[in-house]
Amino acid sequence: MTTGGKAGMRSRSRQTVFASALLVTSALVPVLIAAPVMAQAQVAQSGAGVLAASHAFEIPAQSMTSALALFGQQSGLQITVDGALVRGVDAPAVSGSMTSQQALDRLFAGSGLTYNISDDGTVVVEQIATGAAAAEGEVLDPIRVEGNAEGVYGPMGPTRDSVVASRSRTASKTDTPILDDSAAVSVVTQKELETRNVQDVQQAVAYSAGVQAGEYGSDVRYDYIRIRGFYSSLSTYRDGLSSRNYNFTTARQEPYGLQQVDVLKGSTSSLFGMNGPGGLVNLITKRPQDEAGGEVFTTFGEDHVRGGGDVTGPVAEGSNWTYRLTGLWQDAEREQDYSQDDRIYVAPAFTYKPKAGTELTILTSYSNRESNLGYGFPTGIETSRNAFFGEPDFNTFDTEETNIGYEFSHQITDKLQFRQNARYTHVDLDYETVYLNDTTPLGNRWAFAIYGELDRFAVDNQVQYDTALNETFDSKTLVGFDFNRDQNREKRFDGTASPIDPYNPAYCGLSCINFTSSSDTEITQSAYGLYAQEQLTIADDWIATVGGRFDYVQSDTDTISSGTLDERDDHKFTSRVGLTYKATDEVSVYGNYSESFQPVYGSAASRPDGTAPQEGTQYEVGVKYQPTAIDAMFTAALFDLTQENVSQWNSTTSTYQQIGEINSRGLELEGKMSLDARTNLTLAYTYLDAEIKDDVVTANVGNRPSNVPEHTASAWLDYTIPEHGVFGDLTIGGGLRFVGSRYNNDANADLLGSHTVVDAMVNYMVTDNVSLAVNATNLFDREYVASNTFGSRFYGEGRTVLATLKYSW
């Protein structure tokens, strides 16, 4: 039931064999558990046993029906209730760590309701018998309220009616209320994703505090996201498993396949291993739901056609299997000449629940994207932001990605749970481009091509033990072991192409491209991590979090074209200490210290004692406020982040050196509110005081790091005018995104001006099932330079207007 040298190579080989054996053993756990699971299905549990487990409950005052739904989700218990019994009945707020029995007693106090436990462990809500009165009244069909929406990384399931999420697994890898976490986390719910009709992950997080998205504007090869002033290609996760990018071969994630996006801010290596100091983005995939439903849609705009659908529900009536099928097709062009954004995405998923406490979700997806890259325009050329200086026949960034994975959880006892998440990913990349030389824009152009192939396997094993030590102390202990292996082979070609007149371009085709050098490289990286975390709740008011992790990383760079092999091993222990004080049921104050580490490849640093990982430390304090009177979450955080051993290019010695140090201190303010059924509001502001503390160029010390603004802010408001007569609901919304001025280099010689972009939407419910929405990004077509790096200006994307016709059921 759910409750809550040769010798060195030989030595290294032994380590690899041992770790691989441990990995294989852990992968067999679901099979080994299967037999006792089926045996347990025959054992009826007593009512006391079902309700004895302790959980962290966070149930606001609301209707009894909604409160019971939250209770089911947070306790993992199934609940059956006659709809007539709870109609018009209000439930009080229940908050804190307690047993399921204590939570039910508080919910039902003074309501005239009670409960019994059936043989299969279901909580059956009943009315307290009062003679003949108990037998009178109309009896409706039973309503079944279950905790089935809780997935491994979406404990509240998809939030489709609010921009506010109260829980997230990302911050602690446990089902913990955001109010209790001693870290800053922003959650973008499915409601927010759908309202803004986001087209990529950058758009998804663009309204989150501490986040700077779209740094390279119309360059759509990757999702460029800075968190607290730091950009890291290691900081993207999908369902808690790494989707890191350490070279060219990777694929962008399809936002239509997501039900939630979590942004965990600050150093996170004590739980997630090698990572940048600013934080991470965790993308939560859509999962099967017990309630049947779905949608089909078509989207159209200028040179843009899209269609898709999403259906879910039980495989058959009474079945233990549920399914979900998500897919879309897109044929589109982007703003720049000779650009495209064609997509095919298919994601079948299945969940199997043989009994309460055991769950297996199979997550698969196939994504094919045919796109290009946005170009930076060399300084000194003044032309349209749509201009194209490459070759139309040699202009691709095409990716094909396949994912096969699963999430398994089993409640061994009322207090002990095992979880395992695993995923295999394969990516193919075709990357071809011709671009202007940055320093001689009227001279020869450069030609460049990468043909890559990536195979990635990731698995994370977790054991969680929850117990009440006594009336004062509640313990939540997490121990985990994860493994990631990436094998990335890339064939690279470099050369030149004939000159072009940027003011009157004439293209010459493939015949004018001349490759002068090539390389064939295979990078294999295996990362092993062992971690532990203790969350100790003291007298319901104090929550202490202590965690540590040891990582061992093997990195092999095999340059096949030259016959050279570079091997490197990195290891690091990182820690985290946090403390939360629940001042009231609505307000918490927290502080934390956390660490990060990020390995550096051998070609990116030269030190007498070898290459060392980049290391980060963070100190943070904050306050969170979640009022019970309205559906809202307000957060404020002060932080001080430092990263050392930063690799920098030394032009004097023509080598990279690890002497850089960067400090980022700042303030984040964020508010998310669903004020009522008709009004949603999000607000975010970030102040960053970033400084270069050490640098290869001593004159840069004391300057602000390049591309890091001092101020960023955003706001979004949407309001629904309710139906009236023959007219359906009409929702109108709009938002502002402000990015302050920033320097285009560490010398702080050139300042890039600030910009503000306006987004808007309108949605009309034609019928109860049919809607027509129009979404616009950069509504006023503001022309701005997103960044000016390496002598090239990257323009932000211009206005995009998309209309979507959707039928839902």
Side-chain angles (χ1 to χ4, degrees):
M1 155 189 351
T2 301
T3 58
K6 290 186 179 180
M9 291 181 67
R10 285 197 298 268
S11 173
R12 178 173 175 176
S13 178
R14 287 195 295 269
Q15 292 170 332
T16 303
V17 170
F18 172 77
S20 299
L22 180 58
L23 171 67
V24 171
T25 302
S26 69
L28 291 175
V29 170
V31 178
L32 297 177
I33 287 178
V37 166
M38 301 311 294
Q40 291 171 17
Q42 308 301 320
V43 181
Q45 302 186 40
S46 67
V50 169
L51 302 178
S54 295
H55 305 277
F57 289 98
E58 195 65 38
I59 305 175
Q62 57 192 298
S63 70
M64 184 63 74
T65 300
S66 299
L68 289 174
L70 278 179
F71 171 83
Q73 293 168 353
Q74 295 176 22
S75 68
L77 296 176
Q78 296 183 343
I79 305 176
T80 297
V81 57
D82 186 332
L85 298 183
V86 294
R87 181 185 297 130
V89 178
D90 293 327
V94 176
S95 178
S97 179
M98 65 191 75
T99 67
S100 298
Q101 181 174 345
Q102 290 170 330
L104 279 176
D105 290 344
R106 294 186 187 185
L107 282 175
F108 290 156
S111 67
L113 300 173
T114 186
Y115 57 88
N116 279 312
I117 307 300
S118 67
D119 289 341
D120 65 355
T122 299
V123 179
V124 182
V125 179
E126 300 174 347
Q127 187 176 42
I128 297 176
T130 56
E136 296 178 355
E138 181 183 2
V139 179
L140 302 180
D141 291 335
I143 299 173
R144 191 166 184 80
V145 185
E146 301 178 353
N148 62 318
E150 179 177 348
V152 174
Y153 278 89
M156 295 298 292
T159 306
R160 304 196 64 172
D161 58 353
S162 174
V163 299
V164 182
S166 61
R167 309 177 80 86
S168 168
R169 280 193 182 271
T170 300
S172 63
K173 286 193 176 181
T174 65
D175 181 11
T176 301
I178 294 175
L179 202 63
D180 294 355
D181 274 321
S182 58
V185 57
S186 297
V187 177
V188 185
T189 66
Q190 188 163 345
K191 168 71 172 179
E192 191 173 351
L193 294 171
E194 292 176 348
T195 300
R196 293 195 279 112
N197 192 21
V198 302
Q199 300 297 298
D200 55 49
V201 175
Q202 293 181 149
Q203 289 184 6
V205 300
Y207 283 85
S208 300
V211 175
Q212 179 188 352
E215 181 175 328
Y216 290 95
S218 59
D219 186 345
V220 295
R221 294 172 297 168
Y222 311 104
D223 290 305
Y224 300 97
I225 299 171
R226 284 183 184 265
I227 306 176
R228 292 184 171 176
F230 292 92
Y231 170 76
S232 173
S233 60
L234 305 181
S235 298
T236 300
Y237 287 72
R238 181 171 177 175
D239 300 320
L241 298 175
S242 174
S243 293
R244 62 176 59 97
N245 172 31
Y246 53 86
N247 224 26
F248 291 96
T249 305
T250 193
R252 300 181 82 183
Q253 300 301 307
E254 175 53 56
Y256 187 65
L258 306 177
Q259 70 178 33
Q260 183 172 301
V261 178
D262 294 350
V263 183
L264 174 59
K265 287 164 275 191
S267 302
T268 61
S269 290
S270 64
L271 274 180
F272 291 92
M274 52 183 175
N275 221 321
L280 61 86
V281 177
N282 189 22
L283 311 174
I284 314 300
T285 306
K286 286 180 176 177
R287 290 126 206 285
Q289 303 296 304
D290 279 354
E291 184 177 351
E295 66 181 30
V296 291
F297 73 92
T298 181
T299 298
F300 47 93
E302 184 178 1
D303 299 319
H304 187 112
V305 178
R306 189 185 206 192
D310 181 23
V311 293
T312 187
V315 171
E317 185 176 355
S319 174
N320 291 330
W321 288 87
T322 54
Y323 76 97
R324 190 160 193 167
L325 179 60
T326 308
L328 67 82
W329 165 88
Q330 177 173 300
D331 184 358
E333 296 179 6
R334 306 192 71 89
E335 183 180 29
Q336 195 170 42
D337 294 341
Y338 301 102
S339 65
Q340 62 181 349
D341 185 12
D342 299 342
R343 310 181 193 180
I344 295 175
Y345 178 80
V346 181
F350 299 91
T351 294
Y352 175 56
K353 300 178 185 177
K355 64 163 289 155
T358 303
E359 183 174 324
L360 173 67
T361 296
I362 301 169
L363 298 169
T364 68
S365 66
Y366 171 80
S367 177
N368 190 315
R369 298 176 69 124
E370 295 182 359
S371 61
N372 318 98
L373 60 158
Y375 287 88
F377 297 143
T379 302
I381 293 179
E382 300 298 332
T383 185
S384 166
R385 62 184 174 185
N386 301 334
F388 178 72
F389 303 144
E391 284 298 324
D393 297 332
F394 201 75
N395 180 42
T396 62
F397 193 88
D398 298 345
T399 59
E400 186 176 22
E401 180 183 68
T402 303
N403 287 286
I404 303 174
Y406 65 86
E407 296 179 342
F408 174 80
S409 64
H410 172 63
Q411 197 74 29
I412 302 172
T413 70
D414 286 346
K415 299 179 179 180
L416 185 64
Q417 185 184 56
F418 171 80
R419 300 188 291 266
Q420 185 181 73
N421 310 333
R423 183 176 66 243
Y424 166 76
T425 302
H426 179 82
V427 179
D428 289 313
L429 168 69
D430 290 340
Y431 177 7
E432 301 171 333
T433 184
V434 171
Y435 59 97
L436 280 177
N437 186 327
D438 296 337
T439 56
T440 56
L442 299 181
N444 285 339
R445 294 173 293 168
W446 295 100
F448 176 78
I450 290 282
Y451 303 99
E453 185 174 314
L454 169 68
D455 288 287
R456 170 183 293 135
F457 175 72
V459 61
D460 187 9
N461 307 277
Q462 304 171 15
V463 176
Q464 181 176 324
Y465 183 71
D466 296 353
T467 187
L469 302 177
N470 52 41
E471 294 182 356
T472 304
F473 297 97
D474 291 330
S475 170
K476 183 184 294 184
T477 305
L478 177 71
V479 177
F481 171 76
D482 62 24
F483 170 78
N484 294 267
R485 185 181 189 273
D486 291 6
Q487 187 174 40
N488 185 354
R489 182 170 183 177
E490 294 181 344
K491 296 181 179 180
R492 173 170 177 163
F493 300 87
D494 292 272
T496 60
S498 299
I500 195 172
D501 183 352
Y503 301 104
N504 185 25
Y507 308 112
C508 54
L510 299 178
S511 60
C512 68
I513 299 174
N514 179 35
F515 287 113
T516 56
S517 65
S518 65
S519 64
D520 187 355
T521 305
E522 183 174 83
I523 300 176
T524 303
Q525 185 178 78
S526 299
Y528 309 83
L530 179 65
Y531 59 92
Q533 176 182 265
E534 169 64 26
Q535 293 172 277
L536 185 65
T537 301
I538 308 169
D540 294 335
D541 295 330
W542 295 89
I543 305 169
T545 303
V546 180
R549 176 181 171 118
F550 179 79
D551 281 279
Y552 174 67
V553 183
Q554 301 172 340
S555 302
D556 297 341
T557 303
D558 184 4
T559 307
I560 300 171
S561 52
S562 63
T564 60
L565 176 64
D566 176 65
E567 296 181 341
R568 194 179 73 257
D569 296 347
D570 292 302
H571 55 85
K572 180 69 177 176
F573 179 82
T574 53
S575 62
R576 172 193 176 193
V577 179
L579 183 64
T580 300
Y581 172 61
K582 298 288 290 292
T584 70
D585 290 342
E586 301 176 325
V587 179
S588 67
V589 182
Y590 72 92
N592 76 58
Y593 166 81
S594 56
E595 298 174 335
S596 69
F597 96 108
Q598 183 176 346
V600 176
Y601 292 99
S603 61
S606 59
R607 294 164 50 105
D609 54 346
T611 301
Q614 298 178 147
E615 300 178 0
T617 57
Q618 175 187 262
Y619 299 89
E620 178 181 346
V621 294
V623 60
K624 302 176 184 179
Y625 173 49
Q626 185 177 17
T628 56
I630 60 173
D631 184 16
M633 176 73 76
F634 303 93
T635 61
L638 288 167
F639 57 88
D640 190 322
L641 262 170
T642 301
Q643 186 179 37
E644 301 174 333
N645 296 335
V646 178
S647 292
Q648 298 177 311
W649 178 254
N650 188 331
S651 59
T652 303
T653 61
S654 297
T655 60
Y656 281 95
Q657 291 183 296
Q658 283 189 277
I659 65 172
E661 180 178 334
I662 297 174
N663 175 256
S664 177
R665 299 179 296 176
L667 166 69
E668 292 168 354
L669 303 174
E670 184 172 277
K672 288 179 178 282
M673 294 152 275
S674 287
L675 301 176
D676 50 40
R678 296 182 291 177
T679 310
N680 298 294
L681 175 65
T682 68
L683 301 168
Y685 168 75
T686 307
Y687 167 76
L688 282 179
D689 179 17
E691 183 181 351
I692 299 172
K693 293 292 188 178
D694 200 359
D695 197 277
V696 170
V697 181
T698 56
N700 291 344
V701 175
N703 289 348
R704 171 175 287 271
S706 62
N707 296 321
V708 178
E710 188 173 15
H711 304 279
T712 58
S714 66
W716 176 276
L717 172 67
D718 62 75
Y719 177 76
T720 300
I721 303 171
E723 61 180 346
H724 180 72
V726 297
F727 297 101
D729 289 351
L730 178 66
T731 302
I732 301 173
L736 301 171
R737 291 178 283 126
F738 168 79
V739 177
S741 58
R742 56 252 181 244
Y743 292 101
N744 68 350
N745 54 42
D746 290 345
N748 291 183
D750 299 308
L751 187 66
L752 194 62
S754 63
H755 64 267
T756 301
V757 174
V758 178
D759 304 321
M761 62 81 62
V762 58
N763 183 88
Y764 177 66
M765 295 300 300
V766 182
T767 70
D768 290 341
N769 302 101
V770 179
S771 65
L772 177 62
V774 179
N775 290 80
T777 56
N778 194 0
L779 178 63
F780 299 113
D781 202 22
R782 168 70 187 274
E783 184 173 304
Y784 65 95
V785 177
S787 64
N788 191 345
T789 308
F790 305 115
S792 294
R793 304 186 314 278
F794 291 84
Y795 284 97
E797 291 198 81
R799 177 173 52 226
T800 301
V801 180
L802 300 175
T804 301
L805 182 65
K806 181 187 296 184
Y807 173 73
S808 305
W809 65 91

